[in-house]
Amino acid sequence: MASDCLFCKIVAGEIPAKKVYEDANLLAFHDIDPKAPTHVLLVPRRHINSLAAICSEDAGTMAELLCAAPTIAAQLGLTNGFRTVINTGPDGGQTVGHLHLHILGGRSMHWPPG
Ligand code: 5GP
Ligand code: ZN
């Protein structure tokens, strides 16, 4: 755990969050400032700074993360599709330095993103 990391604190239960899914390695919870009718953040329990910081040893975690996304989307009733986003670094719009996959749905998404 990174002691100054917001999502590590959520994983540790030190900061409350509205959980929607959890397993041995992953946790998903509602975004505090939703950008769509459904907006969930899926994180590895283990601290990883960002997508830019992953290495081959993280391949299993990344596979679990991607495999869990459609399961969670289905659980949330996103039968008409959903958007997944990983913001990476300052230009990518990352504001929390713990790898997270956004799962957004409940409305039609636009492309290209802003
Ligand atoms: P990023 O901008 O790094 O891709 O995404 C960070 C997300 O974390 C943002 O969508 C933001 O609304 C969300 N967020 C920030 N602080 C909190 C918090 O304390 N609790 C929850 N549930 N989400 C948060
Ligand atoms: Zn963390």
Side-chain angles (χ1 to χ4, degrees):
M1 171 175 173
S3 58
D4 58 346
C5 173
L6 176 63
F7 290 170
C8 278
K9 288 178 180 169
I10 287 177
V11 168
E14 293 173 11
I15 292 176
K18 289 200 275 182
K19 296 178 187 176
V20 297
Y21 174 87
E22 55 186 321
D23 63 27
N25 298 321
L26 306 174
L27 177 67
F29 50 90
H30 286 284
D31 196 293
I32 203 168
D33 181 19
K35 310 301 188 297
T38 298
H39 186 175
V40 161
L41 302 171
L42 174 60
V43 308
R45 292 183 183 275
R46 182 168 57 87
H47 182 87
I48 301 172
N49 283 328
S50 80
L51 191 65
I54 64 164
C55 61
S56 56
E57 288 175 7
D58 300 316
T61 301
M62 296 309 293
E64 288 184 38
L65 197 81
L66 285 178
C67 288
T71 303
I72 294 165
Q75 181 189 313
L76 294 168
L78 302 178
T79 54
N80 207 39
F82 55 93
R83 172 71 56 83
T84 50
V85 175
I86 300 177
N87 295 324
T88 304
D91 277 4
Q94 185 176 6
T95 59
V96 176
H98 180 129
L99 176 68
H100 50 284
L101 180 75
H102 295 259
I103 302 171
L104 301 122
R107 65 170 170 82
S108 183
M109 299 295 156
H110 307 290
W111 193 263

